[in-house]
Amino acid sequence: MVIFFNTFKLKEQPIGIFDSGVGGLTVAHAIKQILPYENLIYFGDTAHLPYGDKSAEAIESYSRKITEFLLERNVKVVVIACNSASASAFGTLKKEFGSKTLIIDVIDPVVDYMGTRDFKKIGVIGTKRTISSGMYETKLKEKSPGTSVISMATPLLVPMIEEGFIFDDISNAIIRAYLSNHTLDGIQALILGCTHYPIIKNQISKIFNFNVEVVDSAKIVSLLLKDTLERNNLLNSRGKSADQFFISDYTPYFEKIARMFFEGEINLKKADIWS
Ligand code: DGL
């Protein structure tokens, strides 16, 4: 099937944003703080969660389909609010859809931000897919060759958060078990290389006695998005926003966590894009 998308964009069109589940809501929330008049169309691919365990090819094909779904809903920009998808699919999405829409990932903006700082030792935590891609390590070392980068996969954190284990003894024990690893000793900054992790940012900072800069992509990406929309004359600075949230399968905690970030009624629908 050949699908034609409108390449001419207007300010009033929504922003498309996707992740495997609730993680991208951390980015969506930051976008709304900075761009309150924008309409969001959020897609959480809960049917395939977690992405971090999947192959790069599988994530690429999910990301392609979700991008088509968002473009069919006339978005003016696609934000890949997922590190695993940014590591596996950003190149492909740019190649296949870059002439039809603006596309923003979550890894490059964070790497650019780190390039403005002078850290000697940086830790990166993320899913197995993101860490094994080596994307952060390679890009950070390109920017600052003298910096030591310690990467660590922390695969239990996403299922833990999606199951609602946050701010409790279970989440504290898991976070501590990962982050007390001595390879992280002496880090000056820790990159949260998964958009789910800002939900537990405070617990993570606590492990380091708040002495380590814990960096997440939410605000950094939102500022880049604002700048990109401005430069392309696509910034919506008036009007009433009506966000829409889609998930590919029902999960008990999606709505609950969405309400933590977005007050009031959540316009949540199941979109069966895989059948
Ligand atoms: N929040 C995502 C990320 O940034 C996906 C995590 C997952 O589904 O494993 O990597």
Side-chain angles (χ1 to χ4, degrees):
M1 183 177 58
V2 182
I3 308 166
F4 293 100
F5 302 111
N6 190 357
T7 50
F8 180 72
K9 307 286 183 196
L10 296 167
K11 293 178 182 182
E12 293 70 27
Q13 286 174 236
I15 292 169
I17 169 163
F18 76 90
D19 179 46
S20 58
V22 297
L25 292 170
T26 60
V27 181
H29 175 69
I31 292 174
K32 286 304 277 196
Q33 301 281 303
I34 291 171
L35 303 169
Y37 299 110
E38 297 287 351
N39 295 308
L40 303 186
I41 299 188
Y42 185 92
F43 190 93
D45 191 11
T46 41
H48 292 126
L49 180 91
Y51 274 12
D53 294 351
K54 306 291 186 301
S55 67
E57 293 72 27
I59 297 174
E60 219 174 66
S61 84
Y62 305 151
S63 302
R64 182 182 290 120
K65 185 91 175 151
I66 295 166
T67 301
E68 285 173 357
F69 173 87
L70 294 172
L71 287 174
E72 281 162 23
R73 273 148 198 84
N74 227 5
V75 299
K76 59 186 173 188
V77 55
V78 173
V79 180
I80 311 172
C82 171
N83 288 262
S84 312
S86 295
S88 311
F90 185 35
T92 305
L93 296 186
K94 270 196 299 195
K95 210 178 315 149
E96 294 182 14
F97 301 100
S99 61
K100 305 175 181 84
T101 185
L102 298 163
I103 307 177
I104 290 179
D105 78 317
V106 285
I107 295 180
D108 290 330
V110 169
V111 170
D112 287 344
Y113 166 76
M114 297 307 276
T116 67
R117 307 299 309 272
D118 189 25
F119 297 120
K120 298 280 171 280
K121 186 174 178 184
I122 299 171
V124 183
I125 55 172
T127 66
K128 286 196 253 182
R129 172 57 39 219
T130 300
I131 297 302
S132 69
S133 76
M135 204 64 102
Y136 273 106
E137 201 154 334
T138 309
K139 293 189 172 197
L140 286 166
K141 286 194 164 150
E142 265 167 28
K143 278 246 175 279
S144 319
T147 307
S148 140
V149 181
I150 308 297
S151 306
M152 188 193 288
T154 48
L156 285 180
L157 298 185
V158 168
M160 177 191 96
I161 293 165
E162 289 281 342
E163 286 300 318
F165 290 104
I166 43 180
F167 320 125
D168 62 12
D169 292 347
I170 294 176
S171 56
N172 270 327
I174 295 174
I175 294 166
R176 184 167 292 283
Y178 280 132
L179 299 184
S180 53
N181 189 310
H182 289 301
T183 55
L184 294 174
D185 288 354
I187 56 168
Q188 294 158 303
L190 179 73
I191 297 178
L192 304 186
C194 172
T195 53
H196 280 71
Y197 300 173
I199 295 172
I200 50 168
K201 188 171 180 174
N202 202 45
Q203 284 171 283
I204 290 174
S205 298
K206 218 165 153 187
I207 303 282
F208 298 99
N209 293 321
F210 300 95
N211 285 328
V212 163
E213 182 171 333
V214 178
V215 179
D216 72 77
S217 57
K219 193 168 170 205
I220 295 172
V221 169
S222 307
L223 290 172
L224 174 75
L225 173 64
K226 181 171 187 249
D227 185 57
T228 307
L229 292 176
E230 254 162 11
R231 274 190 289 111
N232 287 278
N233 203 21
L234 285 174
L235 192 71
N236 193 358
S237 49
R238 61 179 69 201
K240 198 169 174 299
S241 92
D243 305 320
Q244 296 176 63
F245 298 85
F246 293 92
I247 44 177
S248 51
D249 198 6
Y250 179 74
T251 64
Y253 287 102
F254 188 94
E255 195 163 357
K256 193 172 161 215
I257 295 184
R259 278 181 204 285
M260 271 170 47
F261 289 109
F262 293 86
E263 284 155 24
E265 279 306 299
I266 304 291
N267 181 1
L268 179 66
K269 293 191 191 99
K270 187 173 164 201
D272 213 357
I273 69 172
W274 308 115
S275 53

